[in-house]
Amino acid sequence: MKNLRIITAIFFSTIFMSCNTEKSKTNFKMENSNQAELPSDTLTKHLKPFKSELPTIGLLIYEGVLQGEVIATSDVFAKLSKNGEQLFNVITIAQTEKPITTEEGMRFVPDYTFENCPKLTALFVPSGYDMYAHVRNEQMIDFIKKKNEETKYIVSNCAGAQLIGKSGIADGHKIVTYIGGGKQLQKDFPNLKVQNDSLVAFVEDGKFSSSNGNLASYISALNLLEKMTSTEHRKFIESYLYIDVLQNWKK
């Protein structure tokens, strides 16, 4: 009799546990189903897909890069058209896929590396306060040389001109760097036609263009944007960015 009670207790315990397990599975499926039905977060819509049919703007980044010069180019090229159309792929490229830290302390995660970077229409080369190691980085210089063979445009801002000078791709062309840096740039790379940086904020010569950097990086980006789209679109982006407010803020 005692054994019968034990067997009966085990039987009902097994049924109870089984029911609870099935209930848990059902709840789990319902929870997952509910999660799947939830709308994506509001930020997802801002993620722009890479469209192979669009021109691709490459932003070179590296440790200690001046983030404003990267952001300026992205600001200009990543905006949609007046009709809400994506006009460009805007990507960042670094030597490795690891996050890089800017001079100002922000961390940027590269979209691509030197090895898997897609074909570029334009390459923007920004600056850093300490260019010594970067100018001597053979992999970076080789990357710039390689991309020069496929791009329609190469743009440098501020001391990014040193990387252009080291690569030799702009020998015989006009170039400008940060204010006060021109004499040393000309000495280091005598084949460049270095412009007077105290008088010239931006210069264009063939496929190459360059600026003093910092906020002048918007000049180089807007100039190229107009070449690749239209005067109307450039003016639209300028209004979007409140460039007129910046120009007249003291008035």
Side-chain angles (χ1 to χ4, degrees):
M1 190 71 178
K2 183 177 179 181
N3 289 340
L4 180 60
R5 287 199 299 269
I6 293 173
I7 292 171
T8 303
I10 292 174
F11 174 76
F12 282 107
S13 295
T14 302
I15 293 175
F16 177 76
M17 291 177 65
S18 176
C19 288
N20 278 346
T21 301
E22 290 303 317
K23 183 178 180 182
S24 297
K25 288 180 180 178
T26 302
N27 288 340
F28 177 77
K29 288 179 181 178
M30 290 179 64
E31 287 175 3
N32 277 359
S33 176
N34 290 337
Q35 287 178 0
E37 293 174 3
L38 290 174
S40 59
D41 68 79
T42 56
L43 295 180
T44 304
K45 65 181 181 181
H46 299 295
L47 299 176
K48 297 177 177 62
F50 186 95
K51 299 181 179 180
S52 57
E53 71 274 17
L54 296 179
T56 299
I57 309 299
L59 314 180
L60 180 64
I61 59 175
Y62 47 81
E63 289 296 322
V65 71
L66 298 182
Q67 66 192 37
E69 295 180 5
V70 180
I71 292 170
T73 306
S74 176
D75 250 354
V76 169
F77 283 94
K79 297 287 190 294
L80 302 179
S81 72
K82 189 179 293 186
N83 298 324
E85 298 176 344
Q86 180 182 339
L87 300 180
F88 301 94
N89 301 307
V90 180
I91 64 172
T92 53
I93 311 121
Q95 187 167 351
T96 73
E97 60 186 10
K98 296 179 181 178
I100 67 99
T101 305
T102 69
E103 171 65 32
E104 295 79 6
M106 290 184 69
R107 303 187 79 197
F108 289 172
V109 179
D111 296 309
Y112 297 92
T113 67
F114 294 167
E115 285 71 31
N116 63 11
C117 179
K119 183 177 180 180
L120 301 179
T121 309
L123 174 65
F124 278 76
V125 181
S127 176
Y129 286 151
D130 184 2
M131 297 298 293
Y132 183 88
H134 303 306
V135 171
R136 288 158 181 77
N137 184 333
E138 293 183 3
Q139 287 181 285
M140 187 176 297
I141 300 304
D142 287 343
F143 173 76
I144 293 173
K145 289 180 179 179
K146 177 182 176 181
K147 288 303 173 183
N148 180 58
E149 296 174 0
E150 69 185 30
T151 53
K152 291 183 178 179
Y153 308 100
I154 298 282
V155 183
S156 67
N157 292 306
C158 198
Q162 294 181 22
L163 293 171
I164 300 299
K166 182 66 174 180
S167 70
I169 62 174
D171 285 357
H173 292 271
K174 296 177 183 178
I175 197 168
V176 70
T177 186
Y178 62 92
I179 297 175
K183 289 184 178 179
Q184 187 62 50
L185 181 66
Q186 187 68 82
K187 180 180 178 181
D188 292 341
F189 308 106
N191 292 328
L192 293 175
K193 294 181 179 179
V194 180
Q195 305 300 291
N196 186 338
D197 47 72
S198 63
L199 301 175
V200 178
F202 167 81
V203 66
E204 183 178 21
D205 187 356
K207 70 179 287 185
F208 303 102
S209 58
S210 52
S211 81
N212 294 152
N214 288 309
L215 284 179
S217 302
Y218 279 94
I219 300 174
S220 58
L222 287 165
N223 175 77
L224 184 54
L225 180 75
E226 182 173 357
K227 289 175 71 73
M228 298 180 72
T229 56
S230 66
T231 300
E232 180 185 8
H233 181 65
R234 188 211 77 216
K235 289 181 177 179
F236 168 70
I237 295 300
E238 286 180 352
S239 67
Y240 197 110
L241 295 172
Y242 297 155
I243 295 293
D244 58 332
V245 176
L246 180 64
Q247 291 172 328
N248 302 310
W249 71 281
K250 282 192 174 182
K251 294 182 180 180

